[in-house]
Amino acid sequence: MEYQELKSGIKDHLNSAAEDFFMVGYFLRQISENALFTEDGYKNIWDFAKGEYGLSTSSASRFMAINARFSIDGGEHMAEKYIGMGVSKLQEMLGLPDEELEKVTQETTVREIRAMKKKQEEPKSFFGLPKAVYPEGSLIATAGCGGDHAKYTCFSCARPCSIRQEERYCRTAPLGSPFSCTQMSEEKRLDIEAGLFSDKCQHLHPELAPIREGDKEPDPCCLTCEHKTCFSRCDVAKKRDEAERKKEQEELRKQQKEADKRKADFVERSNGAQRNVRDLIKQQEEKRQQEAEEKKAAQKLKEDSRILKFYKDIYPGSRQIIANRDKAAITKEFKTLYGSTYETGKGWSCYPDKIVFRDGPEAEQIQITWGRFTTKLVDFLDRFPETEKSILFGDDSRQQEPEIIDADFKEVEPDQQEPERNDAAQEQNDEAQERNDELQEDQEPEIVEDPESYTLADIKEQLRKHEADLKAYREVGDLPSPMMQKQKILVDALQLLVEKKEFDEKEAAGID
């Protein structure tokens, strides 16, 4: 049944026949056992009964006790033997032991039941002993049971007892200022019995309690109970629970702070590793750029030296036309005179469209178109006029060639220093002039390669660079996984592309 149905049932039975108190006790027990009273803000079943229906603790307790004792298996149905007995009779029967209860019938009156109760022996303690009674004037008067010697004292006993003389004292109370264990009062005991943990409570079931050293008796206490959500838990235990909770929270905060610190350290290391990688990549890029510039400068040096050698070799046949500085005419003249001069044995071979320099069979060859050759030669002679003068005076009176110390072929003389020139700008001017000379020469359209095409050599160059980057990443270590994964994908993809390109080229060439 739902909570609201239970509440409505209590009200209906309270307002109807007197015998319905049995059902009132059943509903109260259901609400108590499931702690439903908390939904209306009550702390226990007794406050609920008083606040909702005006029932005193004793009345609510009696109703619940009657239902528990005279029902079938503690349910909502009364045992057939007790049906029809009035509330007064059943209330009196609560005080009878089971053997006397069997003697009660429908015809037994309330007066007869009370008489049966009076015949009962003097109340005994839980241990079956009478309360301790001391002679008048005795200096020892400890409350307990067991005759004049008080074998069991109320001070340390937590057993349910009908002759209890005083409350039990809390084991944690300081000497000289003890205070009662609040769970030992009758009202508190009823509260425990109606609670969620009644079948697990050490006070109601001493066999669940620790055994006390000395007399080997059970020693129930909330401090040794694991059910920390019990509504009847004593204040001493609650205080210790709160201290433990605060200690656990402090430990959690400490662990969280340490975890945050470790996370911050990891982030700092990761950022440092990323900075190291960026610096390393930057250094590698700068090194590649420097190597490329040095290679370019060396190539330019080789070209200039070869051009000067060719000029000396063909002197003086082209002296006059070169002196006029007409680049288009010079180019046309060179093509006419030397366009088909192959294998001269002087380190250069001429073709209709270009001149090829190679110092030996295994040496690297340098190819220069006639237009570019003319542009660079004229520029060189303009920058170093002493070279041309030395050649114009003939072989026997030639002066020493200018010393070339860098990619721009600066002539080093104490009394004459050429201003520094911008290599990139000069090269652009050379190329522009070369293209202009070639267009003026034969007006043939310039063939522009597809910027999106690439060769196997291009792919291998990219693969080499990315493999070097991946190796650098691994040497640094502790890098973010996405960065390493991306670099590895690039390397693997380029390797597959190289294999495919090589296969395609072999297949096109008919090679198995």
Side-chain angles (χ1 to χ4, degrees):
M1 298 178 69
E2 299 294 335
Y3 176 47
Q4 296 300 327
E5 293 177 343
L6 295 172
K7 291 176 64 177
S8 298
I10 294 174
K11 183 176 293 185
D12 292 342
H13 286 286
L14 283 174
N15 296 331
S16 59
E19 287 79 6
D20 286 350
F21 64 85
F22 176 82
M23 288 302 299
V24 172
Y26 170 74
F27 294 141
L28 287 172
R29 288 183 59 210
Q30 292 298 309
I31 293 174
S32 175
E33 290 173 3
N34 295 283
L36 299 178
F37 49 78
T38 59
E39 295 185 16
D40 287 327
Y42 293 105
K43 294 189 297 183
N44 52 52
I45 190 63
W46 317 118
D47 293 344
F48 168 81
K50 182 68 174 178
E52 294 289 329
Y53 310 106
L55 294 176
S56 64
T57 299
S58 58
S59 297
S61 177
R62 284 197 305 272
F63 291 164
M64 295 168 69
I66 290 172
N67 174 265
R69 189 167 189 184
F70 303 122
S71 63
I72 299 175
D73 297 329
E76 58 182 311
H77 301 291
M78 182 181 289
E80 185 177 358
K81 179 180 179 180
Y82 306 112
I83 295 176
M85 293 186 180
V87 59
S88 299
K89 187 182 293 187
L90 292 176
Q91 190 168 280
E92 293 293 339
M93 289 165 60
L94 286 174
L96 293 176
D98 292 341
E99 60 273 14
E100 292 295 327
L101 190 61
E102 293 294 329
K103 301 176 183 179
V104 178
T105 64
Q106 293 285 349
E107 290 75 22
T108 305
T109 63
V110 173
R111 182 176 296 180
E112 290 173 338
I113 294 173
R114 290 176 179 172
M116 294 170 65
K117 292 169 63 177
K118 289 182 179 180
K119 292 179 182 179
Q120 298 299 310
E121 297 181 359
E122 181 181 357
K124 300 290 181 66
S125 67
F126 173 85
F127 303 100
L129 300 173
K131 69 178 180 180
V133 178
Y134 298 95
E136 185 177 354
S138 173
L139 298 178
I140 300 176
T142 303
C145 64
D148 297 340
H149 302 289
K151 181 177 181 180
Y152 299 100
T153 64
C154 297
F155 181 86
S156 58
C157 179
R159 302 286 188 139
C161 181
S162 60
I163 65 169
R164 180 174 294 282
Q165 295 173 275
E166 63 180 28
E167 298 296 343
R168 180 193 187 205
Y169 289 102
C170 179
R171 64 169 64 172
T172 63
L175 294 178
S177 180
F179 56 91
S180 300
C181 180
T182 56
Q183 292 188 354
M184 292 303 100
S185 66
E186 185 63 21
E187 182 178 350
K188 274 295 179 182
R189 185 175 299 283
L190 292 173
D191 196 2
I192 297 173
E193 291 176 349
L196 293 174
F197 304 102
S198 58
D199 59 336
K200 303 174 184 178
C201 182
Q202 298 176 15
H203 295 289
L204 301 182
H205 305 280
E207 67 275 9
L208 302 177
I211 301 302
R212 188 168 54 232
E213 292 294 335
D215 57 8
K216 303 301 181 181
E217 288 294 326
D219 188 22
C221 181
C222 288
L223 291 174
T224 60
C225 181
E226 62 180 5
H227 303 293
K228 298 183 179 182
T229 58
C230 177
F231 291 105
S232 300
R233 194 167 176 81
C234 73
D235 293 338
V236 175
K238 289 179 180 178
K239 184 176 181 180
R240 191 188 67 175
D241 295 343
E242 180 66 16
E244 292 178 352
R245 186 183 65 83
K246 290 181 178 179
K247 183 178 179 180
E248 291 175 356
Q249 290 179 344
E250 182 62 29
E251 183 64 24
L252 288 175
R253 283 193 292 268
K254 182 180 178 180
Q255 294 176 1
Q256 183 62 41
K257 185 179 294 184
E258 292 176 352
D260 292 341
K261 185 178 183 301
R262 289 195 297 270
K263 182 178 179 181
D265 292 342
F266 174 77
V267 171
E268 180 62 26
R269 289 197 303 271
S270 299
N271 292 338
Q274 291 180 6
R275 287 193 296 270
N276 291 338
V277 170
R278 288 195 295 268
D279 293 342
L280 180 60
I281 293 174
K282 183 178 179 181
Q283 292 174 3
Q284 292 177 342
E285 185 62 28
E286 291 176 350
K287 182 178 179 181
R288 282 197 292 267
Q289 291 178 357
Q290 183 179 358
E291 291 175 351
E293 291 175 357
E294 291 175 353
K295 183 177 180 181
K296 185 177 180 181
Q299 185 72 13
K300 188 174 185 297
L301 180 62
K302 288 181 180 180
E303 287 185 2
D304 288 353
S305 63
R306 299 307 189 279
I307 290 172
L308 182 60
K309 181 179 183 302
F310 178 80
Y311 177 63
K312 291 179 179 179
D313 289 342
I314 65 174
Y315 180 84
S318 302
R319 180 188 59 169
Q320 188 60 41
I321 192 169
I322 291 175
N324 295 331
R325 297 294 193 266
D326 186 346
K327 295 180 181 179
I330 296 173
T331 302
K332 185 175 181 180
E333 180 75 10
F334 281 171
K335 283 187 176 183
T336 301
L337 296 177
Y338 308 104
S340 299
T341 307
Y342 311 119
E343 301 298 334
T344 62
K346 297 181 180 181
W348 48 266
S349 299
C350 298
Y351 299 86
D353 61 335
K354 63 187 176 182
I355 179 171
V356 178
F357 295 98
R358 174 177 285 180
D359 296 336
E362 302 298 329
E364 179 184 5
Q365 70 177 15
I366 300 175
Q367 301 184 30
I368 307 176
T369 63
W370 286 112
R372 179 178 177 82
F373 176 85
T374 302
T375 300
K376 294 181 72 65
L377 176 60
V378 171
D379 179 71
F380 183 83
L381 295 176
D382 287 341
R383 285 189 292 136
F384 304 105
E386 293 300 323
T387 299
E388 185 176 17
K389 290 178 182 180
S390 67
I391 297 175
L392 289 176
F393 284 116
D395 293 342
D396 296 334
S397 60
R398 288 181 184 176
Q399 298 181 11
Q400 185 178 1
E401 297 175 7
E403 182 181 0
I404 302 173
I405 61 173
D406 58 17
D408 288 330
F409 290 89
K410 297 186 179 68
E411 183 178 0
V412 180
E413 294 183 1
D415 57 342
Q416 183 177 0
Q417 295 288 342
E418 290 288 337
E420 295 184 358
R421 301 170 62 92
N422 186 298
D423 290 345
Q426 180 62 38
E427 184 175 352
Q428 291 177 358
N429 291 336
D430 292 346
E431 293 176 355
Q433 183 62 42
E434 177 186 348
R435 289 195 298 270
N436 183 56
D437 293 344
E438 292 178 350
L439 288 174
Q440 291 179 0
E441 177 185 352
D442 46 24
Q443 297 297 319
E444 294 182 359
E446 182 180 359
I447 299 176
V448 180
E449 296 181 355
D450 182 4
E452 295 187 3
S453 65
Y454 53 85
T455 64
L456 179 60
D458 296 330
I459 302 173
K460 289 184 176 180
E461 176 63 18
Q462 291 299 319
L463 176 59
R464 184 189 67 77
K465 292 181 180 179
H466 285 289
E467 284 180 336
D469 291 342
L470 181 59
K471 180 180 179 181
Y473 290 177
R474 288 171 175 165
E475 290 175 354
V476 173
D478 199 20
L479 295 180
S481 297
M483 180 183 294
M484 293 292 297
Q485 187 181 61
K486 178 180 179 182
Q487 192 64 27
K488 186 65 169 65
I489 290 173
L490 287 173
V491 171
D492 291 345
L494 288 170
Q495 288 176 342
L496 291 175
L497 191 56
V498 167
E499 294 175 2
K500 182 179 183 303
K501 199 74 173 177
E502 290 177 342
F503 176 81
D504 291 343
E505 291 183 357
K506 289 180 179 179
E507 187 175 27
I511 300 174
D512 294 335

